[in-house]
Amino acid sequence: MAGSELIGREEMKEVMDVLETGVFARYEFDNERKGIYKVKEFEEAFAKYLGCNHSLGVTSGSAALKVAMTALDIGPGDEVIVPAFDFIATYEAVLEVGAIPIMTDIDDSLNLDPVALEERITPYTKAVIPVHMCGAPANIEEIINVAKRHKLLVLEDNAQACGGSYKGRKLGTFGDMGILSFDYYKTMTTGEGGMVITNDKGLYDRSDWYHDHGHDHNPNVGRGLEGRTILGFNFRMNEFQGAVGLAQLRKLDYIIGEQRKNKAAIKEALADVPGAGFRKLFDPDGDTATFLGFNLPDEPTTRKFQSVLKEEGVDTIYYKDNAWHYAPRWEHLIAWSTANSKQYPFTSPDYKGKVEYTTDHIPHAEEILGRTLFMIIPVKMADERLEAIRGGIQRAAKAL
Ligand SMILES: *Cc1c(COP(=O)(O)O)cnc(C)c1O
C-alpha cells in the first residue's frame, strides 16, 4: 500500500500550513495566503524530480488522462491503442473524450507489446497509451519507435509506476505527455489526485486552460479579468492535496527503496519453487517494486499454488479473473454500455472503424496472465511476516 503506510507528522505539518491560512484554493487570495502555494510548489518539485519541463496537478489520474487527451486533441473518430492488461480508467478516459479504445496484446513484461501495437494500427489510429503496470516499465523505447514511424501521439499512463524509470530516465517523460495518479492505493498518495506532465509548452498551456474553465492564468491581472481561448472544465487540485503531495514526494525514494528490499527477499524464496519464473523486467533498476509478478508452467498449477498460498495466509492476485484490470472481463465495455443511453461514442457517426473486444486479438495476454500471480509488496514488513511468507511459499511448493 506504499505511501499510505507512511502518513505522519510531515503530511500533518504541510496540511496545517494550509489550515492556518484558511486558503484551500490554489488560485487567487494572494494577500491572505501568506506566500503559501502548495499545489504550485508540489508541481515544481515533481517536475524537478521527474526531470520534465511542465507538470499540472489535477483531481485524479483519470482526470489527468482526460485533460491530456483533450490537450492532444484526441476525440470523436479516433482510435487509441491501449493494453489488454490495464486498470479500466484508461479505457474510460478514452471514451470520455469521444474516442475508441483498442484492446491490444501484452508482452512478457505484461505491458503493451510494441509488435502487437503495430499490428493494431488502422487509418483511424491517433494515439497509443502505454501503461507501466504494477510498478515496471513497458518496452517504452520500442513503443516510441513504432509511434514515430506511424506518426502516433504517445501518452504514457504512469499511474502505477510513480518514480520508476527506464535506463535512468523517469517513466512518464518519454511520450508527448504523461500522467500519474495519487489515489490512496498508489505509490505516493494525496488521497485523490493526479498529475499531467509534458515537455511541450503548447500542450501544457492547453491542459492548464482546459483544467480550469479556460483561464489563461495571466499573473498580471485578477482572476476575474483573465483571458480565455477555449472552453474548459474544472479538474483543479486543491491545496490540501498539494500539501500532502509535497510530504509524500519527499518519501518517494525511501518508499521505493524499502519495497525493493522486501521484494528481493520474497523473490529469493520463490526462486526455489519448481518451474517458477518471474515477470520480465526491461529495466530491473527502474522497477518501483510495488508488485512481484511470477509465473508457473500452466494455469491449473498456478491456481493450485494460489489456493495453497491462501491457506498459508499469503494473498496473491490472479489478474486473468480480475474484474477491473483485464479488458476481456469488462462485460459492460464489450456491450458498449457507456453512461450515455445512445452508447456514445461507440455509435458516433464520426467513427468509421470497427472495434472488437474478442480475445482472438490478445493470445499472449490470455496465455501469460493465465499462469501469472502477483504479490503486493509492502513498504513496512516485519521479519516475522517475511518468515511467514517464506514458510508459506515452501509449503505451497511441496503441494504442487
Ligand atoms: C489508478 C489508475 C488510473 C486512475 O487514477 P485515479 O487517480 O484512481 O483516477 C489510471 N490508470 C491506471 C493504470 C491506474 O492504475
Side-chain angles (χ1 to χ4, degrees), residues 8 13 31 49 59 69 99 146 155 180 209 222 229 233 246 301 343 388 390:
K13 190 212 157 272
N31 295 328
Y49 175 85
T59 44
M69 276 189 275
V146 173
L155 167 58
L180 295 108
W209 302 337
T229 45
F233 212 61
L246 275 168
T301 312
Q343 295 182 300
R390 278 187 206 272

Side-chain angles (χ1 to χ4, degrees), residues 131-145:
V131 185
H132 307 290
M133 284 296 282
C134 300
N139 190 355
I140 190 68
E141 273 184 347
E142 201 40 46
I143 289 169
I144 298 272
N145 287 341

Side-chain angles (χ1 to χ4, degrees), residues 296-307 318 370-371 400:
L296 289 151
D298 54 57
E299 204 162 314
T301 312
T302 307
R303 288 182 184 276
K304 172 131 195 256
F305 195 68
Q306 181 182 41
S307 76
Y318 183 73
R371 53 188 189 86
L400 287 183

Side-chain angles (χ1 to χ4, degrees), residues 237-265:
M237 183 178 260
N238 72 46
E239 288 288 278
F240 294 112
Q241 292 167 300
V244 175
L246 275 168
Q248 287 267 299
L249 177 58
R250 288 183 209 119
K251 299 178 182 181
L252 182 55
D253 284 339
Y254 172 79
I255 291 169
I256 293 170
E258 292 303 292
Q259 286 174 169
R260 283 186 182 150
K261 278 188 234 165
N262 293 334
K263 179 169 175 172

Side-chain angles (χ1 to χ4, degrees), residues 59-65 86-90 131-134 157-160 179-186 191-194 325:
T59 44
S60 71
S62 305
L65 285 165
D86 189 1
F87 180 54
I88 198 166
T90 321
V131 185
H132 307 290
M133 284 296 282
C134 300
D157 179 340
N158 192 27
Q160 294 202 9
I179 71 96
L180 295 108
S181 161
F182 311 121
D183 80 25
Y184 194 64
Y185 309 91
K186 299 301 205 282
E192 298 283 0
H325 293 84

